[in-house]
Amino acid sequence: MSTLSPAEDTGSTTKAPTAQVHAQTNTLVAKLWNYCNVLRDNGLSTIEYVEQLSYLLFLKMADEIASDPFSEEDTHSVVPADYDWKSLVSKKGLELEVHYRDTLTKLAQNPGTTLGTIFAKSQNRITEPALLEKLVVDLIGGQDWTIQGTDLKGDAYEGLLAKGAEDTKTGAGQYFTPRALIDAMVDVMRPGPNDTITDPACGTGGFLIAAHSYIRKHHMKGLSREQRHALGAGKIFGTELVPGTARLAAMNLLLHGIGDSNGESLITVEDALAKKPAKHASLVLANPPFGKKSAITVIGTDGKTDREDISYDRDDFRATTTNKQLNFLQHIMSLMEIDGRAAVVLPDNVLFEGGAGEKIRRRLLKEFDLHTLLRLPTGIFYAGGVKANVLFLEKKTPRADGKPHTTKLWVYDLRTAKHFTLKQHPLRRADLDEFVEAYAPDKARSERVETEDDRFKAFDYDDLIKRDKVNLDITWMKDPALDDADSLLPPEVIAQEIVEDLQAALDEFAAIAEALGGEVKPDTDAEEAAAES
């Protein structure tokens, strides 16, 4: 079977040095992004632009693999000859545009496969034949993609997605988690080749790719060929609600050597909350979409409902709520297999909200081992006003004596006296080094110690359960800049924090208005001002 997987990493030393790979990656990203302004003038949004590149990249790479005389795989093309890359480059102008539209329609007729996911409901949005021809001939056609190595072509595409996320006005950033945070989460979770890994709100696939990369780096040399192929044959999978984003994820995985272009898609396009998990995972990595309210109410075993919308009847949920993040947390709790583990990014309200929130937190502390909480700094997400945390938990078999599985919750405060912005001072992986060291993934948690700077502290279960509404929004540090006149923050940081606090407050008021039946209209001018600040 032909695939779009790269040559397997067998420990060869023929790879280009890291610096050279980074330079080549940056060059490719610049090339891919170079036409963005031109295409946007033609009416394309950032997401649409990246989608069009994804279609063309897939066709070009399928052609390169099928034409590779040194490939050890069956080299017949997965794309029908009448609609392959050669059929595109043989045409020009209006004839090319017509044929490209027909190609997208034809290739979408494979539901359930990676090919079908990439081309599902695809449309040609490049309405100028000359622009399409320039993309086919000069940009995509002028570059050899598959012979460059997995890191180059995969990282170049991920770099393109990252640049797309910077376009906050089109909402592209909502699908993007900072890579520094992803890498730190994966480093402490330490995925292995025997793990079944999933992300129920995978966006463009960043967590899945980072987990696969970690396994390749730390375990690949000791695996058989069959074990290596198994990593891309269902042991890594994701779910994404938005078809356009799912196609980006499917393409992203393929470019990083995960999956089979003609096999079953590793990305399922559906609402993850709509039904109980069909299969479970030993490792869940996720950053569910931000936003307090869901258009759907999930009815749990408590039988409560406070809206008349279409409802999900989930008997594996213990609490009914319209809070999207609380529902995702309940879904992840169901998605985990026994002794499975999870790391999930969730906003502050999940830690302190009463009602269903308190009920879920009580269950979390008793039936799971909620052992670590990372309080994230502001200014690291493209969505404005976000104050978030990473919850690290393990699922356990219920205890016969009824005692809770959580004994201590270790909280690391990366928020107090930490100030980041998306452009001037972005979060780097090095900023998370102390957290990773304090987490001590290679040691038993009983060996953990509190840090000298007081950022890492442990809280006993008995103390947690006594807190009002089991509030886990725990703070103990004080920002010295609030007391020290000599420690004043730069004006741009102060302005950004004011915008974030105001945006967070507006989001809460909007949620209250929705709950009361009011209609909340977005303030476009305010959103643009926040993005530009």
Side-chain angles (χ1 to χ4, degrees), residues 187-242:
D187 285 345
V188 298
M189 298 307 285
R190 307 179 80 178
N194 295 323
D195 275 317
T196 302
I197 306 168
T198 192
D199 181 348
C202 69
T204 55
F207 279 111
L208 303 178
I209 289 163
H212 181 264
S213 177
Y214 184 96
I215 295 171
R216 288 182 62 237
K217 180 178 179 181
H218 293 89
H219 301 284
M220 191 62 76
K221 291 181 181 180
L223 298 181
S224 67
R225 182 183 181 87
E226 289 73 22
Q227 287 175 313
R228 290 195 292 267
H229 277 294
L231 292 175
K235 296 202 75 172
I236 297 177
F237 60 98
T239 303
E240 172 53 42
L241 174 64
V242 181

Side-chain angles (χ1 to χ4, degrees), residues 30 41 106 129 265 279 350 377 421 514 529 533:
D41 289 341
K106 176 66 176 180
S265 177
K279 59 180 177 178
V350 169
T421 59
E514 283 186 49
S533 67

